[in-house]
Amino acid sequence: MLEVSGLKKRYKEKTVIDQLSFQMQRGEIVGLVGENGAGKSTLLQLLATIMQPTEGDIQLDGLSYRNDRKKIRRKIGYVPQDISIWEEFTVEENMLFFEKLSWKRRSKEQCRQLCLDMQLTHWKESVQSLSGGMKRKLNLAISLLHDPMLLLLDEPTVGIDLKSKTEIGTYLHSLAKNEGKMIIYTSHDMDEITHICDHVYSIGKDPFYTELLKGKGVAVEVIA
Ligand SMILES: Nc1ncnc2c1ncn2[C@@H]1O[C@H](COP(=O)(O)OP(=O)(O)OP(=O)(O)O)[C@@H](O)[C@H]1O
Ligand SMILES: [Mg+2]
């Protein structure tokens, strides 16, 4: 279970996140919506332990982000908004390189299977020859190497075609429902969000997304 309470993040004099609280259970997918600059990536970075909050606390399965950061890191998979893989290496070389850095040992076949699970079949191809959607799939596969329980995905489907989007959505759904992972992801695609998420949270002051989703009959909660 993830519990976020009274979270605040200030960059110098600018407060981006204020009094943000929510909870989620294993097996749930949460969608985060909000205008550009609302603080979605900031929230994911706080949850990924990359930044410290100005105030507030986060707990993951009873472990506090204040006291147990090392243990918590092992339970988190994070894919940043900007793709971060080795462009000049093949898919195979990327997977095997990141497996070496991972906390969990995986065989070559298991690494390959992680890619195949989301229809990434270009094992021997160099990353620079892959499409944007395939690169996003590879980044996602890398984030799963250590079998994290909490998966934080910053716009995992931006700029990719409907087929890849659907494949990623189906895969995320199976990770949550069959393996009990908690998934939080951001997207500006409201159809996708409404389709695969159990809960949709809106952050930021602009009511645009909240109204849009309510108009589609989707329950959306404003969390900060
Ligand atoms: N490291 C930083 N230092 C100072 N300000 C920052 C920093 N990172 C983000 N900000 C500011 O915090 C606000 C929220 O940024 P953030 O990237 O979290 O928004 P976002 O909701 O992810 O937006 P987008 O939809 O464009 O990805 C923005 O005003 C941004 O300029
Ligand atoms: Mg962002």
Side-chain angles (χ1 to χ4, degrees):
M1 182 177 176
L2 178 73
E3 289 172 278
V4 176
S5 42
L7 208 62
K8 178 171 181 165
K9 180 66 189 175
R10 201 170 46 220
Y11 294 114
K12 296 200 177 122
E13 67 286 350
K14 185 176 184 182
T15 299
V16 177
I17 284 174
D18 201 9
Q19 285 304 314
L20 186 149
S21 302
F22 71 95
Q23 294 188 352
M24 74 184 288
Q25 313 289 338
R26 294 197 77 156
E28 285 183 348
I29 306 184
V30 160
L32 270 184
V33 299
E35 63 188 315
N36 291 133
K40 303 179 296 297
S41 296
T42 299
L43 174 58
L44 290 189
Q45 286 171 50
L46 292 171
L47 292 171
T49 75
I50 288 168
M51 283 192 306
Q52 301 255 27
T54 312
E55 279 174 28
D57 193 27
I58 311 172
Q59 300 233 343
L60 180 59
D61 270 3
L63 295 172
S64 161
Y65 270 53
R66 285 214 189 98
N67 312 320
D68 304 299
R69 290 178 89 78
K70 274 192 180 160
K71 281 190 198 153
I72 282 170
R73 276 199 189 118
R74 294 178 175 230
K75 296 174 183 283
I76 292 171
Y78 169 58
V79 182
Q81 195 164 346
D82 298 318
I83 289 172
S84 51
I85 41 187
W86 296 96
E87 286 276 331
E88 59 278 19
F89 290 176
T90 64
V91 170
E92 175 180 16
E93 286 162 346
N94 265 282
M95 287 301 284
L96 300 185
F97 172 81
F98 284 105
E99 190 274 337
K100 294 260 184 315
L101 300 183
S102 165
W103 288 289
K104 194 177 162 117
R105 292 286 62 84
R106 299 271 199 175
S107 68
K108 192 173 176 177
E109 198 39 49
Q110 286 173 320
C111 290
R112 186 149 183 257
Q113 191 56 49
L114 265 177
C115 294
L116 291 176
D117 285 346
M118 55 192 113
Q119 280 83 44
L120 177 59
T121 53
H122 305 66
W123 188 241
K124 294 282 181 193
E125 277 181 41
S126 105
V127 167
Q128 54 208 359
S129 71
L130 300 183
S131 69
M134 291 168 195
K135 288 181 190 177
R136 293 212 170 261
K137 285 178 179 177
L138 176 55
N139 234 181
L140 187 54
I142 289 168
S143 77
L144 288 166
L145 277 165
H146 61 289
D147 196 20
M149 75 154 76
L150 173 62
L151 202 51
L152 305 165
L153 310 173
D154 206 345
E155 303 197 20
T157 56
V158 73
I160 69 173
D161 70 22
L162 194 56
K163 181 164 174 277
S164 293
K165 227 180 222 192
T166 310
E167 286 166 356
I168 289 178
T170 306
Y171 184 60
L172 294 181
H173 195 264
S174 80
L175 283 177
K177 304 307 161 195
N178 303 336
E179 297 184 31
K181 293 192 189 299
M182 293 184 274
I183 301 174
I184 305 181
Y185 88 100
T186 67
S187 175
H188 290 284
D189 183 332
M190 295 303 116
D191 287 334
E192 176 193 318
I193 286 263
T194 51
H195 195 61
I196 67 167
C197 294
D198 299 299
H199 300 285
V200 182
Y201 294 139
S202 168
I203 71 171
K205 294 182 177 61
D206 193 322
F208 178 81
Y209 285 109
T210 317
E211 296 302 323
L212 187 76
L213 286 165
K214 280 187 180 156
K216 288 173 179 274
V218 177
V220 48
E221 197 180 322
V222 181
I223 53 169

